[in-house]
């Protein structure tokens, strides 16, 4: 039985990344939970989901997946890959702004830079979605959303070790920015990740 556990144990580098992901700190409005990770993209994966909640309303949602392939991946240029998704409601008139896509991508790039999260091979899309109602729902107001789908490869730090913490926290910052929350004032400390059932 002991030998079986030894074979099935995840690589130490990936186990450390999972621990870092669990220890990432986010704003109080961000409720983070672990979720099943995709199984076919990489030999090892971990994932979390998040909702940004203000006054009981979810105003943004997202997912972050950490992929690990000990043999490396040419497309990633690394053994690790972060895959992120962010969706938030925006004012309908904003989706007509041709600059919104570029702005959404800038949110991610700036959040990574602010956290000192060095990375390689970024790629992604920013989608603007508007929904209008007709017929029996014609009185419903139009709604609009922005969706950011992105991936990037964390760059190892000292000793060749990857720290996914700043990458996870940058994703959390993008969630809040997309949701329209004001920046956290300097000196304010983020809260530890909250898990389990959220209180209402």
């Amino acid at each position: 039985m002991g030998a079986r556990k030894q074979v099935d144990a995840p690589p130490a580098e990936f186990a450390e990344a999972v621990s870092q992901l669990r220890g990432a700190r986010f704003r109080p409005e961000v409720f983070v939970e672990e979720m099943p990770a995709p199984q076919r993209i990489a030999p090892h994966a971990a994932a979390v989901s998040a909702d940004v909640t203000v006054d009981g309303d979810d105003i943004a949602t997202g997912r972050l997946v950490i992929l690990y392939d000990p043999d490396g991946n040419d497309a990633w240029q690394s053994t690790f890959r972060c895959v992120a998704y962010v969706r938030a409601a925006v004012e309908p008139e904003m989706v007509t702004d041709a600059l919104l896509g570029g702005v959404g991508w800038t949110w991610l790039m700036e959040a990574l830079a602010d956290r000192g999260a060095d990375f390689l091979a970024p790629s992604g899309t920013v989608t603007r979605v508007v929904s209008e109602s007709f017929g029996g729902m014609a009185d419903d107001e139009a709604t609009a959303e922005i969706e950011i789908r992105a991936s990037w490869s964390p760059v190892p730090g000292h000793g060749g070790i990857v720290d996914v913490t700043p990458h996870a926290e940058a994703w959390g910052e993008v969630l809040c920015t997309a949701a329209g929350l004001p920046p956290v004032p300097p000196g304010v400390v983020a809260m530890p990740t909250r898990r389990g059932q959220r209180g209402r």
Side-chain angles (χ1 to χ4, degrees), residues 98-143:
L99 299 178
L100 182 59
V103 169
W105 187 253
T106 298
W107 291 340
L108 175 61
M109 296 295 102
E110 290 184 347
L112 289 166
D114 288 346
R115 292 294 190 279
D118 294 332
F119 59 92
L120 294 169
S123 65
T125 62
V126 179
T127 305
R128 296 167 288 166
V129 180
V130 61
S131 300
E132 298 178 81
S133 301
F134 301 93
M137 301 174 62
D139 292 337
D140 293 350
E141 294 184 0
T143 61

Side-chain angles (χ1 to χ4, degrees), residues 4-93:
R4 176 68 178 177
K5 288 183 178 179
Q6 192 73 15
V7 170
D8 292 344
E13 191 174 12
F14 175 70
E16 177 61 23
V18 172
S19 177
Q20 294 163 355
L21 180 61
R22 290 172 175 165
R25 302 172 76 86
F26 303 96
R27 290 177 56 159
E29 299 92 343
V30 182
F31 179 83
V32 180
E33 292 182 298
E34 292 185 37
M35 62 175 289
Q39 299 298 311
R40 299 183 180 181
I41 303 177
H44 304 278
V48 293
S49 64
D51 293 317
V52 179
T53 305
V54 175
D55 296 329
D57 294 325
D58 292 339
I59 57 176
T61 188
R63 298 184 299 272
L64 178 66
V65 181
I66 306 297
L67 304 174
Y68 177 70
D69 186 340
D71 294 329
N73 184 302
D74 291 342
W76 302 353
Q77 302 178 35
S78 175
T79 56
F80 277 99
R81 188 75 173 170
C82 296
V83 181
Y85 171 73
V86 170
R87 186 182 78 230
V90 296
E91 295 298 327
E93 55 268 23

